[in-house]
């Protein structure tokens, strides 16, 4: 089983849901306005979206922009912290691997 | 409160106070500085004020009942609206401090900030006084498998539940030490996760000694203890086992967490052999206390107190003044004491930063609350110390630096090697702390491990030195800055 969004109908905070569609590595993924990229990816059942230098999978760890584990590419911009970036309709999110950085 | 900067009827432009961080401490600082007559610029990296304690839902959720997730929401909302709506305040949301520049050693430093999305706008603030209230982030001690997806910091689980309504898993283990584990477990329950167990590494005896010593101090923190009691009641209602003296010593799974191994630990957190037990879980939320965010204080030249790497904080006097001219500090950077203490410290800091009247009658209760908060912090540290034998659950191939994947064996080898016994050389050799997070996750841990291994770094500020506090892109540096604020 996996992470998920609290069901809208029973959420005691009584919130709105405005649908948003982004692509993740080309595949359309639905989310809601206000989510971060990390929140959308988790709610879509993904737990990992980055590969480290050794190829190990990583996703969210700190959730508040400190650890840089959740880095993704958004609309061509690399190394975006998924936990800090809100999604926008049509965003092209792609997963990334550390060795593409050309640093090693 | 009486304005400290001028008499009635005269229009006096107050001092410019820049407050970094809009959590409980920063908001209180901004509020008090405004009350004392200052012009305030409040800076926070989030879109809304509140910090991690009052983590807000996004505006786009248009939540009708945001208060159901928050303790003290009404007071917070009132203060937040008062500060942001004030004619002498400027609220810089979505803004990060990327550098502090000490251009004139006799006065407060320049504060370089980046605002908004791409391209971020670069701006330089010139404060008469700077209040640092950047807060803290979870400290997580390494254990085998802690890098697996599905292992979260306790704060991440709470931020996702409270800030986005995402439950990080279905069967969740919450582990580590400290009272913060309780609200995290309650947030998870509220979001619909099943909390399998809460593992508190401190043994019941240690926690009880810490909490029951000098009970009158607790009465003063009634807000906090009432809050904790409500969490305990919620866990009891859902029959969530709360097990003291037990720690997660390993997470296992194929590409993500599938199970955790926990064990009984002694008072010093050495593992009791034969007490290991495996629990199936799809998420593990771990917190071993907090690491104060000291890089801006270090960059400002503030003196620190404490020598053990995990017990280093900003030194402040009775007016929350640091050793750096014009720089004040409040909240978790001066000691981990929670929101009520942070609010009191913030108010004192903001008042004095603004040049407020030192004999103002409103200061006495604030100072009392601040001192009680500090006593609470000490009690917290006594009740939930990190046991010194925790490295016993590490293996040679356990990752210590998550960014660079430096393992424990490499850290040990560097500490034992005379050439790299110097911390800076070791850092270059092992690469621990040189990844994108700039050692925020592993810096204190590596310093602690190296001290244990006989190669201590004499500079307690070393794990917190980050001259560039926030990654900045070349294009952002090259772009002309927005108008400099006076």
């Amino acid at each position: 089983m996996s992470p998920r969004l609290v069901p809208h109908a029973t959420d005691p905070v009584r919130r709105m849901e405005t649908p948003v569609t982004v692509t993740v590595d080309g595949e359309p993924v639905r989310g809601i306005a206000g989510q971060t990229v990390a929140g959308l990816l988790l709610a879509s059942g993904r737990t990992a979206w980055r590969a480290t230098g050794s190829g190990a999978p990583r996703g969210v760890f700190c959730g508040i922009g400190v650890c840089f584990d959740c880095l993704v590419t958004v609309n061509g911009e690399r190394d975006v912290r998924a936990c800090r970036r809100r999604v926008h309709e049509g965003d092209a999110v792609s997963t990334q691997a550390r060795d593409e950085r050309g640093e090693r | 409160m009486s304005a400290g900067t001028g008499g009635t009827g005269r229009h006096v432009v107050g001092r410019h106070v820049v407050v970094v961080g809009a959590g409980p401490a920063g908001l209180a600082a901004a509020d008090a500085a405004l009350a004392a007559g200052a012009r305030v610029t409040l800076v926070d990296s989030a879109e809304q004020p509140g910090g991690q304690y009052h983590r807000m839902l996004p505006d786009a959720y248009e939540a009708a009942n945001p208060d159901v997730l928050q303790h003290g929401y009404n007071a917070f909302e009132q203060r937040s609206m008062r500060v942001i709506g004030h004619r002498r305040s400027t609220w810089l949301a979505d803004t990060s401090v990327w550098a502090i520049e000490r251009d004139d050693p006799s006065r407060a430093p320049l504060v370089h900030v980046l605002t908004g999305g791409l391209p971020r706008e670069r701006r330089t603030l010139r404060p008469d006084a700077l209040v640092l209230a950047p807060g803290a982030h979870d400290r997580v001690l390494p254990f085998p498998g802690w890098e697996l997806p599905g292992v979260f910091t306790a704060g991440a689980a709470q931020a996702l539940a409270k800030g986005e309504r995402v439950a990080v898993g279905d069967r969740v283990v919450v582990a580590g030490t400290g009272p913060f584990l309780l609200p995290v477990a309650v947030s998870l329950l509220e979001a619909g996760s099943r909390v399998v167990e809460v593992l508190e590494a401190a043994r019941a005896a240690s926690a009880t000694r810490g909490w029951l010593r000098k009970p009158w101090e607790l009465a003063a923190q009634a807000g906090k203890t009432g809050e904790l009691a409500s969490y305990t009641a919620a866990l009891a209602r859902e029959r969530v086992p709360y097990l003291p003296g037990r720690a997660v010593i390993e997470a296992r799974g194929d590409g993500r967490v599938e199970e955790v191994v926990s064990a009984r630990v002694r008072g010093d957190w050495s593992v009791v052999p034969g007490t290991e037990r495996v629990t199936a879980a799809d998420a593990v939320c771990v917190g071993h206390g907090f690491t104060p965010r000291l890089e801006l204080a270090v960059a400002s030249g503030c003196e620190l107190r404490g020598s053990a790497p995990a017990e280093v904080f900003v030194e402040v006097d009775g007016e929350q003044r640091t050793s750096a001219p014009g720089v004040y500090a409040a909240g978790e950077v001066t000691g981990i004491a929670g929101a009520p203490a942070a609010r009191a410290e913030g108010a004192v800091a903001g008042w004095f930063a603004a040049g407020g009247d030192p004999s103002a009658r409103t200061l006495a209760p604030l100072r009392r609350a601040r001192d009680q908060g500090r006593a609470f912090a000490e009690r917290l540290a006594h009740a939930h110390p990190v046991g010194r034998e925790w490295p016993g659950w590490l293996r040679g191939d356990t990752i210590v630096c998550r960014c660079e994947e430096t393992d424990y064996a490499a850290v040990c080898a560097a500490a034992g090697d005379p050439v790299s016994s110097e911390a800076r050389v070791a850092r270059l050799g092992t690469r621990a702390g040189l990844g994108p997070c700039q050692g925020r996750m592993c810096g204190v841990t590596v310093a602690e491990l190296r001290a244990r291994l006989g190669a201590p770094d004499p500079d307690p500020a070393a794990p917190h030195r980050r001259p560039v506090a926030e990654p900045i892109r070349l294009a952002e540096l090259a772009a002309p800055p927005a108008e400099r604020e006076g």
Side-chain angles (χ1 to χ4, degrees):
Chain A
M1 296 298 280
S2 46
R4 61 191 140 70
L5 195 63
V6 175
H8 174 238
T10 55
D11 193 339
V13 304
R14 293 181 50 216
R15 57 190 163 81
M16 297 293 148
E17 280 198 354
T18 311
V20 166
T21 303
V22 306
T23 60
V24 179
D25 292 333
E27 180 195 334
V29 176
R30 292 178 61 114
I32 56 173
Q35 277 179 314
T36 61
V37 173
L40 178 143
L41 291 169
L42 286 171
S44 73
R46 291 163 170 81
T47 53
W49 49 81
R50 186 175 73 88
T52 62
S54 76
R58 294 284 174 88
V60 178
F61 181 60
C62 83
I64 60 169
V66 179
C67 78
F68 291 71
D69 251 5
C70 66
L71 299 181
V72 287
T73 299
V74 180
N75 303 328
E77 182 193 347
R78 290 188 59 85
D79 298 341
V80 173
R81 281 168 278 180
C83 69
R84 298 261 320 255
R85 174 68 64 92
R86 304 259 176 224
V87 292
H88 292 97
E89 180 65 34
D91 275 348
V93 176
S94 45
T95 56
Q96 60 182 61
R98 176 72 189 272
D99 49 10
E100 292 166 20
R101 295 162 66 101
E103 280 185 7
R104 17 168 88 187
Chain B
M1 285 187 174
S2 64
T5 46
T8 46
R10 275 191 303 137
H11 199 78
V12 179
V13 178
R15 287 156 63 83
H16 181 205
V17 176
V18 170
V19 180
V20 177
L27 259 188
D31 202 6
L34 288 165
R39 189 161 64 83
V40 169
T41 303
L42 179 60
V43 175
D44 197 281
S45 59
E47 289 157 351
Q48 293 138 310
Q52 301 307 329
Y53 184 77
H54 292 291
R55 182 90 178 186
M56 305 290 286
L57 290 164
D59 288 339
Y61 279 27
E62 296 179 57
N65 301 331
D67 53 308
V68 299
L69 303 177
Q70 301 266 349
H71 264 272
Y73 183 82
N74 289 343
F76 156 70
E77 196 188 25
Q78 276 173 25
R79 170 167 272 173
S80 157
M81 284 167 59
R82 185 163 66 233
V83 167
I84 287 167
H86 199 285
R87 66 188 163 79
R88 276 185 275 109
S89 90
T90 306
W91 161 233
L92 297 180
D94 204 3
T95 298
S96 303
V97 177
W98 68 273
I100 294 274
E101 181 185 346
R102 283 188 275 168
D103 63 329
D104 176 350
S106 70
R107 54 174 302 179
L110 296 172
V111 180
H112 296 283
V113 301
L114 289 163
T115 299
L118 279 179
R120 294 181 293 183
E121 192 178 78
R122 186 156 60 90
R123 210 185 309 215
T124 301
L125 307 173
R126 156 60 85 188
D128 295 309
L130 172 63
V131 179
L132 296 174
H137 58 75
D138 295 80
R139 179 170 194 221
V140 180
L141 300 173
F143 52 87
W146 74 309
E147 72 281 9
L148 281 173
V151 178
F152 300 90
T153 69
Q158 200 187 34
L160 285 160
K162 278 171 75 173
E164 297 203 41
R165 311 304 288 143
V166 167
V168 294
D170 285 310
R171 284 179 54 89
V172 187
V173 172
V174 176
T177 192
F180 181 56
L181 300 181
L182 302 176
V184 169
V186 171
S187 288
L188 284 160
L189 286 172
E190 192 278 332
S193 298
R194 175 165 168 228
V195 178
V196 185
E197 53 192 8
V198 178
L199 308 179
E200 163 60 65
R203 291 185 312 167
S206 151
T208 311
R209 258 200 317 277
W211 290 109
L212 297 187
R213 200 174 46 102
K214 300 191 205 162
W216 57 88
E217 288 174 2
L218 273 184
Q221 289 281 313
K224 200 78 210 167
T225 44
E227 186 185 329
L228 290 176
S230 80
Y231 298 138
T232 315
L235 293 182
R237 236 182 356 256
E238 302 284 336
R239 299 177 198 284
V240 175
Y242 178 84
L243 306 176
R246 214 171 171 87
V248 165
I249 58 167
E250 184 178 0
R252 298 198 287 224
D254 182 11
R256 58 166 300 174
V257 166
E258 291 162 13
E259 59 187 30
V260 297
V261 182
S262 68
R264 278 199 62 77
V265 292
R266 302 185 185 93
D268 60 3
W269 292 21
S270 54
V271 173
V272 180
T275 61
E276 293 87 352
R277 144 161 98 59
V278 176
T279 307
D282 64 351
V284 191
C285 305
V286 191
H288 299 102
F290 294 91
T291 300
R293 305 179 81 154
L294 296 178
E295 62 260 13
L296 299 181
V298 168
S300 302
C302 303
E303 258 172 49
L304 305 179
R305 64 176 174 87
S307 51
E311 289 158 28
V312 171
F313 297 98
V314 181
E315 177 84 278
V316 287
D317 68 9
E319 301 180 353
Q320 300 299 127
R321 207 185 299 271
T322 72
S323 67
V327 182
Y328 297 74
E332 311 292 52
V333 287
T334 72
I336 304 301
R343 277 193 288 268
E345 285 197 1
V348 173
W351 183 255
F352 283 104
D357 178 2
S359 61
R361 267 180 301 164
T362 39
L363 276 172
L366 285 175
R367 282 182 152 143
R368 236 180 355 257
R370 192 258 325 269
D371 295 344
Q372 286 159 354
R374 287 189 180 159
F376 181 81
E378 215 170 287
R379 172 187 288 263
L380 194 63
H382 270 278
H384 299 274
V386 169
R388 68 178 312 278
E389 294 306 323
W390 70 265
W393 64 57
L394 299 178
R395 297 196 289 246
D397 63 356
T398 303
I399 284 178
V400 173
C401 168
R402 300 173 62 91
C403 296
E404 296 294 323
E405 301 180 289
T406 309
D407 64 21
Y408 182 47
V411 172
C412 292
D417 171 5
V419 178
S420 58
S421 65
E422 208 250 308
R424 205 158 35 89
V425 179
R427 212 152 32 237
L428 291 171
T430 64
R431 295 199 56 82
L434 294 181
C437 93
Q438 299 191 74
R440 284 179 172 90
M441 289 292 120
C442 73
V444 167
T445 293
V446 170
E448 205 171 279
L449 289 173
R450 288 180 56 83
R452 271 179 74 84
L453 294 162
D457 190 329
D459 175 15
H464 307 283
R465 270 188 216 289
R466 290 173 201 101
V468 176
E470 171 83 3
I472 179 166
R473 291 165 204 267
L474 284 177
E476 290 166 337
L477 260 182
E483 200 181 336
R484 178 188 264 216
E485 296 202 350

